[in-house]
Amino acid sequence: DAGASFHGSVFGNHLDELSQICVPLSLHWGDEDFALPAELLPKVRSAIASNRDAEIYIYPGVKHGYTCPSQSKAYAPEAAKLTWARTMPMLERLKTSPQQYS
């Protein structure tokens, strides 16, 4: 009913599928994340352009794995907190209106 990705990899391999998703999406990367090369971001934006419930967030100065406390070199607690704060309302809306996205 929804999708969230924190520092997701291989999006470039699935742009056709991404463009067909019509449920809410919340996609998050750091601007220093190797999983989202600069040339891929516009392609991902284009792939989700028709989905009115899709959002992309880019966090400045943040690396791949920033939400994982075990990734000591990448962990960015403030960005991780903001990621969850942006994602949870989307998921909470599904509790009250799941049929809206079916």
Side-chain angles (χ1 to χ4, degrees):
D1 290 329
S5 174
F6 302 170
H7 38 82
S9 301
V10 299
F11 270 75
N13 296 341
H14 303 282
L15 293 173
D16 290 345
E17 295 148 62
L18 188 59
S19 67
Q20 297 174 30
I21 296 173
C22 58
V23 298
L25 292 175
S26 186
L27 309 176
H28 304 260
W29 286 278
D31 69 349
E32 296 179 18
D33 190 334
F34 65 82
L36 186 70
E39 67 275 4
L40 184 57
L41 180 56
K43 293 175 183 176
V44 172
R45 286 191 193 280
S46 178
I48 67 165
S50 65
N51 183 340
R52 65 179 175 82
D53 291 312
E55 301 173 317
I56 294 177
Y57 298 98
I58 306 296
Y59 301 91
V62 175
K63 296 178 170 73
H64 186 78
Y66 73 93
T67 61
C68 303
S70 63
Q71 299 289 328
S72 60
K73 292 184 180 182
Y75 184 54
E78 291 303 314
K81 182 178 177 182
L82 184 53
T83 296
W84 281 108
R86 289 173 165 167
T87 302
M88 290 310 295
M90 174 194 71
L91 298 174
E92 289 293 324
R93 284 192 304 272
L94 293 176
K95 288 181 181 177
T96 58
S97 302
Q99 69 283 356
Q100 176 182 352
Y101 303 107
S102 299

